[in-house]
Amino acid sequence: MNCDAKENGKRLKNVVGQTKVFLLDMDGTIYIENELIGDMRNTLEAVRRSGRRIVYFTNNSSKTVREYEEKLTRLGIFGQGDEVYTSGVAAAEYLNEFYAGKKVYLVGTDGLKGEFAEAGIPLADADGAEIGVLAYDTTLTFEKIVKLNRMIAEGKPYIATHPDAVCPAKGVFPPDVGSFIELFKCSSGRYPDVICGKPYTVMGDCIKRRLCLPPENICMVGDRPHTDIRFANNNGFRSILVLSGETDAAHAAAAPDKAEAVAESLNEIAALL
């Protein structure tokens, strides 16, 4: 073992030792599409047995918490005490904190609209709305684009759930919210006033309130330096970059956003719990 690997091993052990809650990115960290990475079921069970908690933590706002819980249950990895937290949930919490009672035009899926309604956020068509929210809408139409664009151009508050340019998938990655942010910048001249998801601090502040823990006891684990690791660094969280998804060792070494520790996969932490 070379010196760098030995030092990384010490850092990884220290991170795991200090962590009480793991925030786990999913695709590329836990699974790739529907295939678990290595012995993931036993790794996650070892985390639970150690007394640590698991929060499945994602920028994808096209799916509801319930839909993710169902998927994770099908994969056999949703256990007692686990939670799911999305950028859509963070956006709803942000709206309730800073725009309570304001009518929202939401460009999002029916599932997300249901979550907003359950959170007490009044939804309206663009003509009657006071705030525009852009989420990952897999049912996006030109009519929705025109309506939200008008609101943005008129200067209404404009919030996006997350900044990811593409969504991971087999073959060609489909455009995600970040791509549509650029579209609306071209057509309206504005970027969002607030972006809630990773790597920004809105989602970090929300999860800190929910967990009631100091940031040094919270660890973000993910495969993207520019979202997962930058998010951890922006919010004062511990961080582990895994090389099981989008990032390889060369990319990790060159990335400006440095994790506290690097692991080939999340399965490496099982021996350190």
Side-chain angles (χ1 to χ4, degrees):
M1 180 182 292
N2 62 40
C3 291
D4 286 346
K6 188 173 182 180
E7 286 303 313
N8 181 71
K10 288 180 180 178
R11 291 194 299 271
L12 184 61
K13 183 176 181 179
N14 181 62
V15 170
V16 172
Q18 296 295 319
T19 297
K20 294 184 179 179
V21 177
F22 285 103
L23 308 179
L24 302 181
D25 178 58
M26 288 186 265
D27 208 340
T29 300
I30 303 298
Y31 51 70
I32 296 176
E33 295 208 347
N34 291 305
E35 185 176 340
L36 295 179
I37 295 168
D39 194 18
M40 193 58 63
R41 287 194 187 93
N42 284 330
T43 294
L44 296 172
E45 188 54 40
V47 172
R48 298 182 194 101
R49 285 199 307 269
S50 76
R52 295 165 175 86
R53 292 170 59 191
I54 293 170
V55 178
Y56 293 101
F57 202 76
T58 181
N59 266 356
N60 191 334
S61 57
S62 69
K63 294 183 174 65
T64 66
V65 168
R66 193 168 297 112
E67 287 170 330
Y68 270 116
E69 288 175 349
E70 288 170 356
K71 176 175 181 176
L72 294 167
T73 298
R74 286 197 305 272
L75 292 173
I77 55 172
F78 194 70
Q80 184 71 31
D82 293 355
E83 293 184 53
V84 172
Y85 197 83
T86 73
S87 67
V89 174
E93 292 183 9
Y94 178 84
L95 289 166
N96 277 330
E97 183 176 2
F98 293 100
Y99 295 98
K102 300 291 185 181
K103 293 180 181 178
V104 171
Y105 178 59
L106 172 61
V107 175
T109 61
D110 287 343
L112 186 61
K113 289 176 181 177
E115 284 193 330
F116 271 42
E118 288 174 10
I121 296 168
L123 299 177
D125 194 53
D127 291 335
E130 299 162 273
I131 303 163
V133 176
L134 174 63
Y136 186 24
D137 187 359
T138 54
T139 61
L140 187 65
T141 64
F142 186 70
E143 181 183 10
K144 292 180 182 181
I145 291 172
V146 170
K147 287 181 176 181
L148 181 60
N149 185 71
R150 186 175 69 247
M151 290 186 68
I152 297 168
E154 289 172 349
K156 300 282 179 66
Y158 166 33
I159 295 164
T161 55
H162 63 288
D164 296 23
V166 295
C167 184
K170 287 184 177 178
V172 177
F173 288 5
D176 202 335
V177 171
S179 294
F180 291 102
I181 287 173
E182 294 301 327
L183 181 153
F184 286 115
K185 174 62 168 65
C186 287
S187 58
S188 73
R190 287 179 62 197
Y191 282 118
D193 301 306
V194 173
I195 300 177
C196 296
K198 299 177 289 184
Y200 299 103
T201 56
V202 169
M203 201 168 175
D205 291 340
C206 288
I207 199 66
K208 279 185 271 192
R209 284 195 297 270
R210 180 173 289 217
L211 296 174
C212 298
L213 284 172
E216 59 266 25
N217 294 139
I218 301 169
C219 180
M220 180 71 225
V221 184
D223 67 316
R224 287 178 168 183
H226 63 287
T227 53
D228 300 314
I229 304 310
R230 189 177 299 173
F231 171 78
N233 294 338
N234 285 345
N235 288 280
F237 298 150
R238 304 278 181 182
S239 61
I240 299 173
L241 176 68
V242 293
L243 306 181
S244 52
E246 184 176 301
T247 304
D248 59 19
H251 182 192
D257 302 287
K258 300 300 184 185
E260 197 169 351
V262 178
E264 288 297 322
S265 78
L266 181 64
N267 296 306
E268 278 190 38
I269 74 167
L272 304 174
L273 297 165

